[in-house]
Amino acid sequence: MAFPRPKPTTMETLAMERANPPFNIRKMSIAMHGSEKALILKEKFMAEIARHPAFKLSDIHDLSKDELRERTMEKFASMVYFVTNESLETFQLRMQLIGIADPSFWTRFGVAYGLFLGALRSGATPNQLSYWIDRGVLGLNGVIGCFAMTELAHGSNVAGLETTATFDRGSDEFVIHTPHLGATKWWIGGAASTATHAAVFAQMIIDGKRHGVKTFVTQLRDTKTFTLMPGVTIGDIGKKMGRDGIDNGYIQFTYVRVPRAHMLMKHTQVSRDGVVTEPPLAQLTYGALLGGRTSMVTDSSNSAKKALTVAVRYAAVRRQFATGKNELETQLLDYPIHQRRLMPLVAQAIAIGFTGLRLQVMYEDMTQALDTMEPSDPNLNDILDKLKETHATSAGLKAFCTWACLDTIDKCRQSCGGHGYSAYSNFPLMYADFAVQCTWEGDNTILSLQAGRSLVGAWGGAVKGKKLAPGVAYLNDSSLLSAKSDSSLSLSDIQRAWNCVAYNVIKKAAEEYVALLKSGKSKDEAMEKCSQSRFIAAKVHTIGYIFRLFKEAVEEMKDDEESRTLRTVAKLYGLWQIEEQQGYFLKYGYFNAQQIDKVQEAVDALCLEVRGVAIPLIDSFALSDHIINSPLGKWDGSVYESYFAQVQAANPLPKEHPYFTRLIKPLLERQNEDMEDPGSAMGLDDELKEIEEERKGE
């Protein structure tokens, strides 16, 4: 008698997926993290926070808003130790990991250190910065900062902020005031419960003249009693879509006085007599924005990798339906359509990760150049051109990378079926926590248009024969206007495809803009009228830029199994995105219809190829079970056991039903009373019959 082959357990299935990978997972992981040092530090950080009681994550889905906020504050003490004892590079890597594990804390801590301290570093003079550091900014012993930029009626338009800072020459003070409800500072992380000081963005007014938005350090609370300072009104803006560990609040100022020295004066100075000196190079203020955008590109990759770790491992162990003559149900990951759902997203997350690594190097080089640059520097114009290009490129990358990550999280959730909808899958919290990235530090659509505006400007420079910065240098190559594929679908063919289409869509946006100017429109009106073309230009340029940085990173590696696998991943990313945006490639003739069919076939084949190494690739993301915090993505494959245990532990049945007596029992025991029929009680039908007979007798 033949017995059916026993079904392998989920743990056995995942172990088989992991067996004999074609590349060294450790070496692949080092490549993805930029260095062995960065990977070792990450592993150290993961071990530390896994054992820290404040970083318990398994119960996070069942905590209330107030409990989340309290736990967020519990983490501060441990992080203060590290921020004051580690190098900046090491601490940034630590916070990068914590941003994946606990986005609420990452944001709340980032408000104090990234935004408030960042405002001081980028806007204060050396003496001002020393003053605030002496008063405890670094150790949070005397100053806990927040970043008061956005207002109820203004967000992205910083120049339009309406809080005022009016100089009082007699007292040598600025008077900070909220003139109306719309000027209320809103969404201010840390304001509701924890901040003592704020970096307040306000319109500077001297002798009735406005000088634009400047930054003023303003005390909110007494550091001993924590009571609000005179003239300061603060409230809580309540529950949000996600990141409830952050105490976002609103602030209103009623003629609050701050010393003139509390205005940050690195760029613009105001003397005791009220004389204003503006910076000789206003463009230098761009540099302050690049750090945040760079970190958001990296965070987009890391958060997408977290979601994909769960979805791909689950797809490997989940079996649904038997196909063909197979006795076993088929692994989800073996279905071509499921490979299509996830493998391109894996390629995209890896591509964005390599882009983030290279962008960080560019940012550090740019920061160093800006810190040492003088107005008399002979390389001034080249540096400023590169700064403008990096600023615009980072705007597009922030927008399209955060959009890509949010889309990845939701597609991963859907790919896990009903279990993906459970809070314990961690997808709902991942999605809710990440969604804000598409809005803060610049709304994505607005940032896309900024990038598009810069590309239109770059096109104008190329037409005049100007040698462009590296990121847009392809606009100097007019042969791209009518370039055609060589049908190889190689990495170089894919790169030329993106350059060709980006060249053409930027040309279209620029020509629209010029035509609108000639028709009599102002520069601003013309830019607005061609906004859709600018948006398309930014999108195509940014996708091509991500591909180029990924391709360059891979081609710089020595030829081994790891680099060959990454070349396959890069090819999948580039061709999948061509397929997604195929209309533009057909429109500008780089590919014909038959070649686009070949692109689709190539993507199918590449998805299958990447599927073969999917679990080792996911393992190289190096995310511990504690960090991903999802039973569906357990490293050992114990999906159902872990899921059941977590649900059972988090939802014990109460000894007494909480509302049986009050609500359910009366419902079950209600008496169905016989309802009286008014017609029968009246004898109405008989009466109507008599009336009818009388009518007939007449």
Side-chain angles (χ1 to χ4, degrees):
M1 178 178 177
F3 291 95
R5 186 156 56 97
K7 176 181 176 180
T9 67
T10 54
M11 290 177 276
E12 289 169 340
T13 300
L14 207 53
M16 288 187 284
E17 289 282 344
R18 224 172 241 131
N20 303 313
F23 55 83
N24 183 299
I25 294 175
R26 185 70 181 177
K27 287 173 66 178
M28 180 68 83
S29 196
I30 290 168
M32 288 196 191
H33 289 79
S35 67
E36 187 172 18
K37 177 187 175 184
L39 177 58
I40 290 171
L41 282 172
K42 178 181 178 179
E43 291 167 336
K44 172 178 176 285
F45 302 151
M46 286 194 292
E48 287 172 353
I49 71 168
R51 294 177 178 177
H52 197 299
F55 282 94
K56 181 182 179 183
L57 297 175
S58 59
D59 64 345
I60 203 164
H61 309 294
D62 296 292
L63 298 180
S64 68
K65 172 168 66 75
D66 292 337
E67 288 170 331
L68 281 168
R69 289 184 177 182
E70 190 170 347
R71 186 171 293 181
T72 296
M73 206 61 203
E74 285 175 5
K75 301 177 178 72
F76 263 78
S78 63
M79 287 300 105
V80 167
Y81 170 80
F82 293 119
V83 80
T84 53
N85 287 276
E86 288 181 340
S87 70
L88 181 60
E89 178 191 10
T90 299
F91 186 72
Q92 284 175 336
L93 288 171
R94 179 182 293 277
M95 289 308 294
Q96 196 178 100
L97 172 74
I98 286 172
I100 315 169
D102 186 351
S104 279
F105 174 65
W106 177 79
T107 304
R108 181 60 197 91
F109 199 77
V111 164
Y113 283 98
L115 295 179
F116 181 77
L117 182 56
L120 293 176
R121 280 182 168 149
S122 64
T125 66
N127 284 355
Q128 285 181 317
L129 182 59
S130 296
Y131 172 90
W132 288 110
I133 288 175
D134 288 345
R135 272 146 188 79
V137 166
L138 279 180
L140 302 184
N141 51 336
V143 177
I144 301 175
C146 66
F147 191 74
M149 177 186 282
T150 53
E151 296 176 357
L152 185 58
H154 278 94
S156 298
N157 182 15
V158 176
L161 296 175
E162 296 179 280
T163 299
T164 57
T166 305
F167 185 54
D168 181 347
R169 191 178 279 100
S171 63
D172 196 29
E173 294 172 319
F174 280 98
V175 181
I176 312 294
H177 184 58
T178 305
H180 57 79
L181 182 67
T184 302
K185 293 296 179 182
W186 200 264
W187 282 112
I188 311 305
S193 307
T194 53
T196 62
H197 291 69
V200 178
F201 286 68
Q203 296 281 354
M204 185 172 75
I205 302 172
I206 299 179
D207 296 331
K209 181 182 177 183
R210 289 179 175 252
H211 292 268
V213 173
K214 312 300 177 190
T215 311
F216 304 82
V217 179
T218 306
Q219 189 165 352
L220 304 177
R221 292 179 169 93
D222 185 289
T223 56
K224 303 296 183 186
T225 65
F226 226 55
T227 54
L228 294 176
M229 298 299 288
V232 176
T233 302
I234 286 179
D236 193 322
I237 68 167
K239 193 165 177 62
K240 308 176 291 289
M241 181 176 174
R243 303 203 186 210
D244 274 328
I246 313 163
D247 54 317
N248 292 89
Y250 63 81
I251 313 173
Q252 293 174 328
F253 302 99
T254 306
Y255 303 108
V256 174
R257 291 179 169 270
V258 301
R260 174 176 57 89
H262 281 203
M263 173 188 163
L264 302 184
M265 296 196 195
K266 181 177 182 179
H267 302 296
T268 300
Q269 296 82 42
V270 177
S271 72
R272 176 69 181 80
D273 298 324
V275 176
V276 180
T277 306
E278 295 289 0
L281 296 169
Q283 300 98 321
L284 295 184
T285 57
Y286 289 167
L289 298 170
L290 298 180
R293 291 175 183 175
T294 300
S295 70
M296 291 172 82
V297 171
T298 300
D299 195 42
S300 295
S301 173
N302 289 336
S303 297
K305 287 174 179 176
K306 180 179 177 179
L308 286 159
T309 297
V310 177
V312 174
R313 284 180 181 163
Y314 180 77
V317 303
R318 177 74 170 190
R319 294 176 182 272
Q320 291 280 85
F321 311 110
T323 55
K325 296 181 180 180
N326 293 328
E327 294 177 14
L328 292 175
E329 289 185 283
T330 304
Q331 294 167 262
L332 293 185
L333 207 47
D334 283 337
Y335 286 105
I337 199 64
H338 212 79
Q339 294 166 12
R340 273 290 196 147
R341 293 176 88 171
L342 294 178
M343 295 305 99
L345 300 180
V346 170
Q348 178 175 253
I350 294 171
I352 293 173
F354 276 98
T355 300
L357 288 173
R358 295 177 83 82
L359 200 63
Q360 184 64 39
V361 173
M362 289 166 59
Y363 167 66
E364 289 166 1
D365 291 346
M366 181 64 67
T367 301
Q368 188 174 0
L370 292 175
D371 286 344
T372 58
M373 189 174 67
E374 297 291 339
S376 59
D377 193 315
N379 298 316
L380 175 65
N381 289 332
D382 287 342
I383 293 172
L384 289 181
D385 282 346
K386 192 172 181 181
L387 173 60
K388 289 177 186 176
E389 187 257 320
T390 306
H391 177 258
T393 298
S394 70
L397 284 169
K398 183 270 180 187
F400 292 102
C401 290
T402 55
W403 267 329
C405 178
L406 192 64
D407 180 61
T408 295
I409 294 170
D410 193 50
K411 284 178 176 172
C412 286
R413 177 192 67 79
Q414 292 184 47
S415 77
C416 291
H419 295 332
Y421 196 65
S422 167
Y424 303 108
S425 74
N426 210 15
F427 289 124
L429 186 60
M430 273 191 255
Y431 189 92
D433 280 345
F434 195 85
V436 71
Q437 300 265 37
C438 300
T439 302
W440 65 15
E441 297 248 356
D443 170 81
N444 279 1
T445 299
I446 301 299
L447 288 182
S448 302
L449 293 180
Q450 286 181 10
R453 177 188 288 264
S454 176
L455 292 169
V456 168
W459 173 263
V463 168
K464 295 173 183 174
K466 181 180 179 181
K467 184 181 178 182
L468 300 180
V472 287
Y474 63 88
L475 294 177
N476 288 128
D477 182 3
S478 59
S479 70
L480 290 170
L481 181 64
S482 55
K484 306 292 181 188
S485 172
D486 61 12
S487 296
S488 67
L489 300 186
S490 62
L491 289 177
S492 58
D493 186 28
I494 296 168
Q495 182 64 73
R496 190 159 174 78
W498 283 105
N499 288 350
C500 166
V501 173
Y503 184 100
N504 277 281
V505 294
I506 293 168
K507 175 177 180 285
K508 179 179 183 295
E511 288 177 347
E512 272 185 44
Y513 172 67
V514 170
L516 287 161
L517 286 178
K518 289 179 178 177
S519 73
K521 302 290 184 188
S522 68
K523 288 184 178 180
D524 287 342
E525 287 175 325
M527 276 292 176
E528 290 308 315
K529 287 284 186 183
C530 67
S531 58
Q532 178 61 16
S533 293
R534 280 194 288 145
F535 182 88
I536 292 168
K539 176 173 66 174
V540 173
H541 167 79
T542 302
I543 297 171
Y545 188 86
I546 293 169
F547 175 78
R548 178 168 67 82
L549 291 195
F550 185 21
K551 171 179 172 285
E552 288 175 356
V554 170
E555 289 177 340
E556 288 171 10
M557 296 178 185
K558 69 176 183 179
D559 185 22
D560 54 20
E561 291 296 340
E562 292 75 42
S563 68
R564 285 193 283 276
T565 298
L566 287 173
R567 282 171 184 262
T568 299
V569 173
K571 195 171 180 182
L572 173 56
Y573 174 70
L575 290 176
W576 169 66
Q577 285 285 21
I578 286 170
E579 186 183 47
E580 291 287 294
Q581 310 296 333
Q582 62 185 268
Y584 302 116
F585 292 87
L586 288 167
K587 178 179 179 180
Y588 295 109
Y590 190 85
F591 292 116
N592 60 35
Q594 291 73 32
Q595 288 170 323
I596 288 292
D597 286 342
K598 293 294 183 185
V599 168
Q600 180 183 327
E601 291 172 13
V603 173
D604 289 341
L606 288 164
C607 282
L608 178 60
E609 189 174 347
V610 174
R611 180 267 173 269
V613 295
I615 293 302
L617 262 183
I618 290 296
D619 288 349
S620 68
F621 295 167
L623 294 171
S624 66
D625 284 350
H626 179 257
I627 296 296
I628 66 170
N629 192 28
S630 173
L632 304 188
K634 295 282 279 187
W635 188 89
D636 66 1
S638 59
V639 170
Y640 304 126
E641 298 87 347
S642 301
Y643 183 23
F644 185 82
Q646 186 168 355
V647 168
Q648 196 174 41
N651 300 277
L653 290 176
K655 291 181 179 178
E656 292 184 15
H657 197 290
Y659 49 86
F660 170 73
T661 302
R662 186 172 67 87
L663 297 175
I664 298 176
K665 186 177 180 181
L667 188 67
L668 290 172
E669 295 182 353
R670 74 189 187 283
Q671 297 298 316
N672 294 323
E673 299 178 5
D674 293 331
M675 298 297 292
E676 182 181 58
D677 182 355
S680 298
M682 296 175 188
L684 182 62
D685 290 341
D686 291 338
E687 184 180 23
L688 292 176
K689 191 174 181 180
E690 288 174 11
I691 293 171
E692 180 66 20
E693 288 173 353
E694 288 175 4
R695 187 179 293 118
K696 288 178 180 177
E698 294 176 356

